């Protein structure tokens, strides 16, 4: 295939746009091949790379110019390849073939919205009595909902992603907004906050958030982000970023259970995963690992807010316990889980668990004592180092920082600098599969080379990778073709991601009605659980990686238990 010619600057400084369109399945394969080359330690077995088959419609189903669908599909392809490598280490004979449906991969970022319970769907499913409300009112009123929006500032042409986090009151107060103010609508609340943000320069807002320890970001262009010290720091790291932990070289290889030792033919059968995380990205990783066969225990704290809809999808295949680190007995329980885990997924701010005594240091110490290495993954906003590394951050913040919101706003015809969210929790869910690739790579290398391994996956790192010149962006006529096909509702700077993703799903539904059994109406993309705690028929999006060759029928990823609410299990120990 001839190299793609790209034009710089169509969607702002540092953007690189294709001059010819490549169908999504073909583009997914190209990105897979390039990612394989760019990922240290990735397989050189060409048969495994050639064995990945991408199928689906030629046109993306995600609005905007970013190749999120193809890029995410490629990441799932990487996971499928590593799954085959692990199966071979376990003694299974595999075909080496992986199938990724790119239409399903396009729906993957909308996972939290793709839920049906006994025929009910959409926002009303959150009224299900089994769904515990965990958001602590973070988006309960118009002004709190609009604490997570993109606003103009006093700096001409520079907008700012405000983010109220899961506790918007102090953040709103910090800029002079009464968090208890009442407004008749989200539009009214947005206009009120907008008047106030326009009294601050963009730099003043950024510095205020840094000083107070709050999330938020200037809406950078891609070039603007790479011009910052943090952007340059993060760019030094590969996307799939992990290393053997220092001073653990003497720890022997930790073999995967053989087919005789564990008949479960999914790749990660017998692997124990401890998930210390909230909201979407890291929990998505845990859910993918569970589908790959891992035993996943999620630790929640009932007094901490969380993303309520995630209980219906991102808890598939897991158990969940409630621990309070203010209690000695709960600390002991957590330490025992750390001591037994093969994998620890840490999705809180970098260093926050370390300060509580439950970070990587403890995991490495306990792994050394048991003489079996541990895999430790940090998932965060800004990466493993640099002066923003310990800042709090969210999907929307990463979208703004790396330049994703900038190029989307530009593609939708807004003035230079005005950001618009990329419509779905794309960087959240995609960082989930990126994190799973990271973890599976480390488990494979622990089995081959011994030692303990640590890695980091970052939301902003994912966003920045999708904007690099080797990836490219869709040209304006393709953006229009996508819009013409799906007739998405207008997307603007004020909208919350929850509003956006339900609107996207509705557009897919309407298209599926016109087109037949495609996208949201294609039952091949779903899995059903009977008699879950939520109802007699719970339907959610199935794992994206599929091993469709008959030789691998027992190895294809699947969940063996339905999603459960946070803090559902009274106790849990690894199987």
């Amino acid at each position: 295939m001839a190299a793609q010619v790209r034009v710089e600057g169509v969607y702002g400084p540092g953007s690189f746009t294709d001059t010819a369109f490549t169908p999504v399945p073909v583009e997914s394969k190209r990105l897979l091949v390039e990612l394989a080359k760019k990922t240290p330690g990735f397989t050189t077995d060409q048969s495994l790379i050639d064995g990945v088959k991408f199928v689906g419609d030629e046109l993306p189903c995600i609005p905007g110019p970013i190749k999120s669908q193809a890029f995410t599909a490629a990441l799932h392809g990487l996971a499928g390849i590593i799954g085959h490598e692990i199966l071979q280490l376990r003694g299974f004979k595999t075909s080496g073939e992986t199938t990724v449906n790119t239409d399903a991969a396009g729906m993957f970022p909308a996972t939290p919205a793709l839920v049906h319970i006994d025929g009910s769907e959409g926002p009303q499913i959150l009224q299900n009595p089994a769904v515990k409300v965990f958001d602590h009112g973070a988006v309960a009123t118009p002004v709190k909902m609009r604490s997570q929006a993109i606003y103009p500032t006093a700096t001409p042409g520079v907008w700012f992603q405000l983010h109220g986090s899961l506790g918007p009151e102090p953040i709103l107060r910090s800029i002079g907004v009464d968090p208890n103010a009442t407004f008749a609508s989200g539009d009214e609340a947005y206009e009120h906050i907008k008047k106030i943000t326009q009294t601050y320069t963009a730099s003043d807002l950024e510095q205020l958030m840094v000083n107070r320890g709050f999330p938020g970001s200037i809406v950078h262009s891609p070039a603007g982000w790479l011009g910052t010290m943090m952007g340059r720091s993060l760019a030094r790291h590969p996307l799939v970023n992990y290393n053997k932990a220092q001073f653990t070289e003497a720890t022997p290889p930790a073999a995967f259970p053989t087919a005789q030792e564990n008949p479960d033919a999914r790749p990660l059968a017998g692997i124990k995963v401890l998930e210390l995380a909230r909201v979407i990205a890291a929990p998505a990783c845990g859910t993918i690992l569970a589908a790959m066969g891992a035993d996943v225990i999620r630790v929640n704290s009932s007094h901490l807010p969380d993303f309520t809809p995630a209980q219906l999808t991102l808890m598939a295949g897991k158990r969940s316990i409630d621990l309070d680190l203010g209690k000695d007995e709960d600390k002991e329980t957590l330490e025992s889980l750390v001591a037994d885990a093969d994998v620890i997924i840490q999705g809180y701010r970098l260093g926050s668990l370390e300060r509580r005594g439950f970070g990587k240091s403890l995991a490495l110490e306990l792994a050394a004592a048991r003489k079996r290495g541990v895999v430790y993954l940090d998932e965060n906003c800004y990466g493993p180092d640099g002066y923003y590394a310990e800042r709090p951050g969210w999907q929307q913040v990463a979208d703004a920082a790396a330049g994703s919101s900038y190029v989307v706003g530009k593609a939708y015809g807004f003035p230079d600098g005005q950001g618009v969210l990329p419509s779905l929790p794309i960087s959240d869910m995609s960082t989930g599969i990126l994190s799973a690739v990271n973890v599976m790579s480390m488990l494979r290398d622990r089995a081959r080379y011994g030692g303990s391994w640590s890695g980091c996956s970052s939301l902003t790192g994912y966003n920045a990778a999708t904007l690099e010149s080797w990836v490219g962006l869709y040209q304006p006529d393709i953006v229009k073709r996508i819009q013409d096909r799906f007739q998405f509702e207008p997307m603007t700077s004020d909208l919350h991601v929850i509003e956006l993703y339900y609107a996207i799903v509705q557009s897919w539904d309407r298209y599926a009605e016109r087109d037949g059994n495609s996208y949201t109406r294609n039952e091949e993309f779903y899995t059903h659980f009977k008699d879950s705690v939520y109802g007699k028929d719970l339907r959610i999006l199935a794992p994206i990686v599929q091993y469709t060759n008959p030789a691998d029928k027992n190895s294809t990823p699947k969940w063996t238990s339905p999603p459960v609410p946070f803090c559902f299990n009274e106790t849990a120990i690894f199987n």
Side-chain angles (χ1 to χ4, degrees), residues 444-495:
R444 178 202 62 199
D445 289 354
R446 184 186 71 153
R448 288 175 173 171
Y449 311 119
S452 287
W453 296 75
S454 64
C456 183
S457 300
S458 94
L459 298 164
T460 309
Y462 165 80
N463 275 294
T466 64
L467 299 172
E468 290 184 22
S469 59
W470 66 271
V471 177
L473 298 164
Y474 291 122
Q475 54 268 53
D477 68 299
I478 299 302
V479 175
K480 184 177 184 302
R481 279 181 61 191
I482 299 167
Q483 176 62 31
D484 289 346
R485 168 177 282 190
F486 293 100
Q487 296 295 302
F488 297 112
E489 297 296 324
M491 297 174 207
T492 50
S493 305
D494 57 311
L495 295 177

Side-chain angles (χ1 to χ4, degrees), residues 63-338:
I66 303 173
K67 295 178 182 175
S68 310
Q69 184 170 344
F71 202 98
T72 300
L75 288 172
H76 283 282
L78 295 183
I81 289 171
I82 303 168
H84 278 295
E85 291 184 294
I86 292 172
L87 286 168
Q88 291 163 10
L89 288 171
R90 293 185 60 198
F92 286 92
K93 292 183 178 180
T94 79
S95 69
E97 296 177 6
T98 300
T99 300
V100 175
N101 189 295
T102 57
D103 296 341
M107 292 165 60
F108 174 74
T111 292
L114 293 169
V115 182
H116 291 237
I117 303 173
D118 298 334
S120 178
E121 61 183 332
Q124 65 265 31
I125 64 171
L126 300 180
Q127 305 304 314
N128 186 299
V131 177
K132 297 182 179 180
V133 177
F134 264 80
D135 59 26
H136 290 206
V139 292
T141 64
V143 71
K144 291 179 179 180
M145 178 76 85
R146 293 298 177 251
S147 72
Q148 298 182 28
I150 303 174
Y151 290 95
T153 70
T155 307
V158 183
W159 290 56
F160 191 87
Q161 172 69 63
L162 196 66
H163 200 290
S165 189
L166 289 173
E169 292 88 350
I171 295 169
L172 288 168
R173 287 193 186 100
S174 73
I175 62 170
V177 176
D178 179 2
N180 298 312
T182 57
F183 297 94
S185 66
D187 289 345
E188 190 176 300
Y190 182 80
E191 290 302 317
H192 176 76
I193 298 173
K194 178 180 173 181
K195 290 177 182 177
I196 294 174
T197 62
Q198 288 177 298
T199 67
Y200 292 86
T201 67
S203 296
D204 284 345
L205 272 176
E206 182 93 349
Q207 194 59 51
L208 175 62
M209 298 302 149
V210 171
N211 289 346
R212 301 288 181 91
F214 296 149
S217 178
I218 289 171
V219 176
H220 291 287
S221 67
W225 169 247
L226 291 175
T228 68
M229 186 180 293
M230 189 62 222
R232 293 193 296 272
S233 174
L234 185 56
R236 290 197 295 267
H237 296 283
L239 182 63
V240 182
N241 185 22
Y242 69 95
N243 292 284
K244 181 182 280 189
Q246 284 187 316
F247 312 120
T248 68
E249 290 81 4
T251 306
F256 291 98
T258 65
Q260 291 73 33
E261 292 168 335
N262 191 325
D264 187 338
R266 292 175 297 165
L268 298 185
I271 295 298
K272 304 169 183 176
V273 177
L274 181 61
E275 182 183 301
L276 307 175
R278 291 187 291 171
V279 193
I280 294 180
C285 172
T287 304
I288 293 165
L289 299 179
M292 288 283 183
D295 180 21
V296 182
I297 295 177
R298 162 79 171 264
V299 172
N300 280 99
S301 179
S302 56
H303 67 273
L304 291 178
D306 209 327
F307 183 55
T308 295
Q311 296 169 98
L312 294 159
T313 54
L314 301 185
M315 295 297 292
K318 302 177 186 177
R319 290 170 290 158
S320 174
I321 58 173
D322 181 10
L323 296 183
D324 181 353
L325 295 187
K327 298 178 180 178
D328 289 341
E329 61 269 30
D330 284 3
K331 287 183 178 180
E332 292 174 6
T333 298
L334 183 55
E335 185 167 332
S336 68
L337 290 169
V338 171

Side-chain angles (χ1 to χ4, degrees), residues 354-554:
E354 195 75 49
R355 290 188 287 273
R356 301 293 297 271
F358 287 96
K360 183 165 61 176
S361 298
L362 176 66
L364 293 174
E365 177 187 332
L366 295 175
R370 72 188 186 191
K371 296 182 173 56
R372 187 177 86 250
V374 70
V375 164
Y376 194 95
L377 180 83
D378 278 303
E379 179 280 317
N380 63 17
C381 189
Y382 293 106
D385 54 30
Y387 73 111
Y388 271 14
E390 291 194 29
R391 281 196 72 188
W394 302 84
Q395 165 240 316
Q396 300 98 318
V397 175
D399 293 344
S404 303
S405 296
Y406 188 105
V407 301
V408 168
K410 185 78 170 172
Y412 292 169
F414 292 104
D416 287 351
Q418 181 172 350
V420 177
L421 285 177
S423 76
L424 295 165
I426 294 169
S427 57
D428 258 333
M429 290 298 298
S430 297
T431 301
I433 179 59
L434 168 63
S435 297
V437 170
N438 235 333
V439 167
M440 294 175 71
S441 300
M442 291 188 280
L443 284 169
R444 178 202 62 199
D445 289 354
R446 184 186 71 153
R448 288 175 173 171
Y449 311 119
S452 287
W453 296 75
S454 64
C456 183
S457 300
S458 94
L459 298 164
T460 309
Y462 165 80
N463 275 294
T466 64
L467 299 172
E468 290 184 22
S469 59
W470 66 271
V471 177
L473 298 164
Y474 291 122
Q475 54 268 53
D477 68 299
I478 299 302
V479 175
K480 184 177 184 302
R481 279 181 61 191
I482 299 167
Q483 176 62 31
D484 289 346
R485 168 177 282 190
F486 293 100
Q487 296 295 302
F488 297 112
E489 297 296 324
M491 297 174 207
T492 50
S493 305
D494 57 311
L495 295 177
H496 192 283
V497 68
I498 292 176
E499 296 168 305
L500 286 169
Y501 71 54
Y502 279 123
I504 294 291
V505 170
Q506 288 172 359
S507 293
W508 290 339
D509 282 340
R510 289 193 294 268
Y511 177 77
E513 289 175 7
R514 299 191 300 270
D515 186 60
N517 295 325
S518 60
Y519 297 99
T520 52
R521 295 197 172 201
N522 187 339
E523 270 296 320
E524 293 180 2
F525 296 162
Y526 295 97
T527 188
H528 289 256
F529 297 99
K530 303 300 180 183
D531 295 318
S532 75
V533 68
Y534 300 112
K536 293 183 178 181
D537 182 24
L538 170 64
R539 188 188 82 168
I540 64 174
L541 193 68
I544 304 301
V545 172
Q546 295 290 307
Y547 297 143
T548 55
N549 189 299
D552 310 315
K553 65 179 181 179
N554 294 323

